[in-house]
Amino acid sequence: MTETGAPARCPADRLTGLLVCPSCRLPLDGPADGRLTCAACGCGGQRRGDRLHFGGFEETELRDDPLNRIKETVKRRFGRAYPMAIQMVSPVLLRRFVRPFLAGFDLDRQLVADLGSGTNRYDRRILCVDGGVYDNVDLVGDLRTLPLADASLDGIVSVAVLEHVPDPQAHVEEMWRVLKPGGRLLCFVPFMQPFHASPYDYQRYTAPGLAELFGRFEVVGTRVGAGPTSSLVWVLQEWLALVLSFGSTRLYRALVPLMWALSPLKLADHLLARHPAAPVLASGFVIEARRPAG
Ligand SMILES: [Zn+2]
């Protein structure tokens, strides 16, 4: 719904009255077509069609890493089919955690943002935010300086994003700022996963490490988001590509996609991810946390 009670045509329309300058946080005029410039500091963004632009990645950043360059091309060409394709060929079996989390919101009335959505969209009512300009993205910008007023979101989803940023704590602080008191977030980060630039890759987390990162929040729970077989299969694929490429980077890059043939082994995680000791070797963890109401 918009402020007038009429159903919003697109998620960007739901930000009327919530947009602020990403630099000095003064309110920006409503998202009418065209420029959204801060009267105080001159910063701001633009609305083009159904999308708000407030900076984001430079094209060169997305194309520096050779594997990520291929990924970006595929993402743009296949758009929303990309997440489905990744799910199929990926060695990682993600457990069902986003849908059950979203089921706890009334998405017609409550505003939930997917911070770092990539080309994925869980629901047409969700605000997709990303540094990259993909078809589904409603708001392009820096996740550390969102052009959103304090306490403007009811929920946040962040899946496989924080390993790719050099300053995860700054991202978590920004989540705190834009989340309403009582608002909830869901965050997945990897633990045992090989290096994968998108466009960068900086860190991994244990379950206690993840809880520590969200220490300011009330932690509802942490659990295995992807199990031990996913860890093993991905490492095995990379290891085989290394061994069989005899020191050639070109051959290694050609071999990696062939190794995806081993990915179905990940299905063992339907069972193994539930093992009480699965956190020892989990591919990733998911945390649910709440900004305390008081
Ligand atoms: Zn400003």
Side-chain angles (χ1 to χ4, degrees):
M1 297 276 175
T2 60
E3 279 191 333
T4 53
R9 198 174 49 82
C10 66
D13 282 344
R14 301 177 71 176
L15 299 181
T16 307
L18 295 177
L19 286 176
V20 298
C21 167
S23 173
C24 69
R25 306 248 168 90
L26 284 174
L28 292 174
D29 284 334
D33 267 6
R35 295 193 69 79
L36 293 155
T37 309
C38 173
C41 76
C43 274
Q46 270 188 58
R47 177 157 179 168
R48 291 182 220 147
D50 288 344
R51 185 180 296 140
L52 295 155
H53 291 258
F54 283 84
F57 288 124
E58 297 292 334
E59 196 62 17
T60 46
E61 288 183 278
L62 294 173
R63 298 193 175 267
D64 260 0
D65 181 89
L67 282 176
N68 196 57
R69 195 182 313 142
I70 298 168
K71 209 164 128 182
E72 283 302 318
T73 308
V74 178
K75 268 188 190 175
R76 270 154 226 233
R77 184 146 323 155
F78 296 100
R80 289 180 199 180
Y82 176 81
M84 263 188 293
I86 282 293
Q87 257 179 43
M88 283 178 53
V89 302
S90 160
V92 178
L93 182 77
L94 284 181
R95 302 181 81 187
R96 262 177 62 88
F97 48 77
V98 179
R99 301 269 174 207
F101 173 75
L102 291 177
F105 292 90
D106 175 357
L107 294 177
D108 285 324
R109 291 169 199 287
Q110 294 181 296
L111 187 55
V112 177
D114 183 355
L115 301 182
S117 64
T119 60
N120 191 36
R121 178 181 280 289
Y122 296 105
D123 189 285
R124 64 180 168 77
R125 295 162 293 181
I126 284 181
L127 179 74
C128 291
V129 186
D130 205 279
V133 187
Y134 308 117
D135 285 348
N136 62 304
V137 174
D138 305 302
L139 171 58
V140 181
D142 187 328
L143 301 183
R144 295 163 301 183
T145 51
L146 293 167
L148 300 176
D150 294 358
S152 46
L153 299 177
D154 296 283
I156 291 174
V157 173
S158 163
V159 176
V161 175
L162 293 187
E163 74 268 31
H164 299 293
V165 303
D167 45 2
Q169 197 70 56
H171 285 250
V172 173
E173 287 304 313
E174 186 68 345
M175 290 182 195
W176 173 279
R177 184 184 74 77
V178 295
L179 206 54
K180 287 178 186 170
R184 291 180 300 130
L185 67 82
L186 187 80
C187 175
F188 172 89
V189 285
F191 171 41
M192 302 291 268
Q193 287 186 4
F195 180 86
H196 56 281
S198 185
Y200 309 105
D201 190 357
Y202 296 99
Q203 62 261 321
R204 300 290 180 267
Y205 294 89
T206 61
L210 185 55
E212 186 69 29
L213 182 64
F214 285 92
R216 198 177 170 188
F217 290 77
E218 197 179 296
V219 176
V220 178
T222 59
R223 61 209 153 95
V224 169
T229 319
S230 300
S231 309
L232 178 71
V233 176
W234 195 347
V235 168
L236 181 63
Q237 288 173 336
E238 293 288 338
W239 183 83
L240 283 170
L242 280 174
V243 167
L244 299 174
S245 60
F246 304 103
S248 157
T249 309
R250 280 183 65 175
L251 189 52
Y252 158 78
R253 279 190 205 136
L255 282 169
V256 166
L258 298 181
M259 296 305 158
W260 292 344
L262 293 172
S263 289
L265 290 172
K266 69 184 175 182
L267 295 174
D269 272 343
H270 278 303
L271 281 176
L272 214 52
R274 299 173 197 200
H275 193 294
V280 173
L281 204 57
S283 173
F285 292 103
V286 61
I287 189 168
E288 187 177 333
R290 182 186 292 118
R291 180 173 164 172

